[in-house]
Amino acid sequence: MRRKFRVPNRSARNYIAGAKVPVRHAATIALVILGLGIGGCSSPLYRHLPYGKPATAIFPPIDKAMPPQSYLIGPGDQIALSVFGEPEISGDKILVDEAGNIQVPLIGQVPLMNLSPSDASALIASKLGARYLRDPKVTVNVLAQNAQEVSIEGQVTKAGVYPVSNATTLLSAIALAQSPTRIAKLDEIVIFRTIAGERTAARFNLERVRAGLDQDPKILGGDVVVVGFSQGKSIYRDIIAAAPLFNVFTRF
């Protein structure tokens, strides 16, 4: 003889008809589904950024990335300045400060940030020639380059600043930060880069890059990589963590 389902000591109105799920439990489950739906949408903050092929056009992979025509001087570099016939102006082991400047006798502070050694030589020669020397012969050489680094922020296990090489890509950069967290939004990986003096950004899908569906962009020194936050995954994890307290997974 088949027994009819009976709800002991509980009001039938607390149950969804035919589902045998308490209303408060169903509401919690609905919240999980809603949260996952929210997490599937791109953040409005990054929705305007190039994505897919347009993003790859800006940040190409290693085999398509164009190497810089000349090394550009940056903070922390050590240079040698030679002014022909002027040993008091010349100097070895001159350190470029954090703002990208050096101090040169007679002309004072000279900005060398993002200049090639030849451009730096021409700039110093023009400043010396304007008031102090006639047709100065100036040579700037980079003796030691400061380490090139990438900043990795957001939902990674260990955010921070890491050294990069000519072989560093987005995947290897994320690995340096010990991989994304469990609440990372893998289709919202944003790379920021200064190109021709302008701040540029694009969005990548790490899952597609991992699967080989999208190309793995090359990472350069000075780049900033931000791993997005998934609201849906966060809500889901919070509810799962709280499930024992609310007796969500009741057996029927």
Side-chain angles (χ1 to χ4, degrees):
M1 180 177 178
R2 181 178 296 177
R3 295 183 179 179
K4 295 183 178 180
F5 175 76
R6 185 178 179 184
V7 182
N9 300 324
R10 295 184 184 178
S11 172
R13 68 173 180 270
N14 290 329
Y15 284 75
I16 297 177
K20 300 180 183 180
V21 179
V23 171
R24 60 191 176 92
H25 295 172
T28 303
I29 294 170
L31 182 59
V32 173
I33 296 172
L34 177 62
L36 292 177
I38 294 172
C41 301
S42 297
S43 167
L45 289 174
Y46 302 119
R47 218 173 269 167
H48 67 286
L49 295 178
Y51 180 76
K53 289 184 179 180
T56 304
I58 299 172
F59 300 96
I62 286 177
D63 59 341
K64 296 181 181 179
M66 294 294 294
Q69 298 299 316
S70 178
Y71 177 77
L72 301 182
I73 297 171
D77 287 349
Q78 191 177 86
I79 69 169
L81 171 62
S82 174
V83 181
F84 181 76
E86 300 292 340
E88 294 182 356
I89 302 177
S90 304
D92 291 330
K93 299 182 180 180
I94 301 173
L95 188 66
V96 181
D97 66 22
E98 291 300 316
N101 303 314
I102 64 169
Q103 295 293 327
V104 179
L106 299 180
I107 58 177
Q109 182 173 282
V110 180
L112 301 185
M113 173 78 82
N114 292 329
L115 294 182
S116 66
S118 60
D119 289 340
S121 301
L123 176 62
I124 295 172
S126 67
K127 288 181 175 293
L128 288 171
R131 294 182 58 185
Y132 303 102
L133 301 177
R134 183 176 180 180
D135 192 23
K137 306 298 182 183
V138 178
T139 302
V140 172
N141 290 310
V142 178
L143 302 178
Q145 300 176 8
N146 191 23
Q148 298 296 297
E149 298 174 323
V150 58
S151 298
I152 306 176
E153 305 176 3
Q155 293 302 314
V156 289
T157 303
K158 192 174 182 181
V161 179
Y162 296 91
V164 296
S165 68
N166 290 331
T168 303
T169 66
L170 177 59
L171 284 179
S172 57
I174 296 294
L176 290 173
Q178 300 181 16
S179 299
T181 66
R182 293 184 179 181
I183 58 174
K185 190 166 177 54
L186 298 183
D187 64 347
E188 198 169 86
I189 312 298
V190 180
I191 302 176
F192 294 90
R193 179 177 300 168
T194 300
I195 301 176
E198 295 186 0
R199 196 68 164 161
T200 307
R203 180 167 56 94
F204 292 85
N205 186 323
L206 195 64
E207 289 182 310
R208 289 183 59 85
V209 174
R210 283 172 170 172
L213 299 175
D214 290 344
Q215 293 181 314
D216 189 10
K218 181 177 181 179
I219 297 298
L220 304 178
D223 284 356
V224 176
V225 178
V226 179
V227 179
F229 166 73
S230 173
Q231 185 178 2
K233 290 181 181 179
S234 177
I235 292 173
Y236 177 79
R237 286 180 59 81
D238 289 345
I239 292 175
I240 292 301
L245 299 176
F246 294 99
N247 196 23
V248 171
F249 301 107
T250 302
R251 297 182 63 184
F252 298 99

